[in-house]
Amino acid sequence: MSFTGKYELQSQENFEPFMRAIGLPEDQIQKGKDLKSISEIVQDGKKFTVTVTTGSKVMKNQFTIGEESEIEMMTGEKVKAVVRMEGNNKLVTEVKGMKSVTELNGDTIIYTMTLGDITLKRVSKRI
C-alpha cells in the first residue's frame, strides 16, 4: 500500500490542548486551529518525503524507514527520530515522550499523536 498522494485535513480533535502541551505559543495555536492543512506524501520504497502546508507555513521532512533521520516538529524544533513501519499501512515514531502514528486506510490518513494523557487526532482525505 503506497502512502503517495495529497491529503487535505478534514477534522481534528484536541488540537488546542495538544499544541499547548508541546509548547506552541498561544497566538500560533489560535492562528493554526482553523487552517486547513495539506499533506503531500511521496513514498519511494522505504524513503518518504512528507510536506505539510498550513497557511503560509511549510514543513518538509524526509526519512527512510528504520534509519535515524532529522525531523522537524510542529514547534520548529529539529530532533533525531527513527520511523518504523507496522504492517503495510502504519508509520510509527516516538520522540521526546510523544508517540506519533500515521495510519493509511484507503483514501484516508489518520494521524494520532499522544503526549502524556493528551491525544491529538487528525483525519485527512486524499484530494
Side-chain angles (χ1 to χ4, degrees):
M1 189 176 286
S2 175
F3 282 79
T4 297
K6 267 190 173 182
Y7 302 86
E8 182 178 28
L9 180 66
Q10 301 294 311
S11 65
Q12 56 189 3
E13 297 167 19
N14 289 331
F15 178 79
E16 291 179 64
F18 186 84
M19 293 302 156
R20 285 187 193 104
I22 65 169
L24 210 62
E26 193 64 33
D27 63 323
Q28 286 186 27
I29 294 171
Q30 294 308 318
K31 248 192 326 200
K33 71 177 182 177
D34 296 321
L35 291 174
K36 288 287 186 210
S37 69
I38 303 283
S39 301
E40 184 170 4
I41 302 173
V42 177
Q43 179 182 357
D44 179 11
K46 290 185 168 195
K47 291 184 192 296
F48 283 77
T49 302
V50 179
T51 307
V52 180
T53 305
T54 307
S56 61
K57 180 168 172 42
V58 177
M59 196 169 69
K60 184 174 186 174
N61 284 310
Q62 293 179 301
F63 58 89
T64 301
I65 298 299
E67 293 181 14
E68 187 176 77
S69 306
E70 188 175 78
I71 305 241
E72 182 182 349
M73 297 182 54
M74 287 182 270
T75 56
E77 181 183 0
K78 292 190 188 250
V79 295
K80 298 266 188 220
V82 176
V83 180
R84 301 183 325 274
M85 181 157 306
E86 291 183 4
N88 65 351
N89 69 329
K90 257 189 205 178
L91 301 174
V92 180
T93 190
E94 292 183 51
V95 63
K96 295 189 77 173
M98 179 173 67
K99 182 175 184 178
S100 170
V101 179
T102 303
E103 184 175 359
L104 179 63
N105 283 324
D107 284 341
T108 304
I109 283 193
I110 301 166
Y111 302 97
T112 310
M113 285 174 267
T114 306
L115 181 64
D117 59 356
I118 301 173
T119 298
L120 168 66
K121 182 177 177 186
R122 307 180 88 193
V123 178
S124 296
K125 292 246 187 251
R126 192 184 300 258
I127 52 175

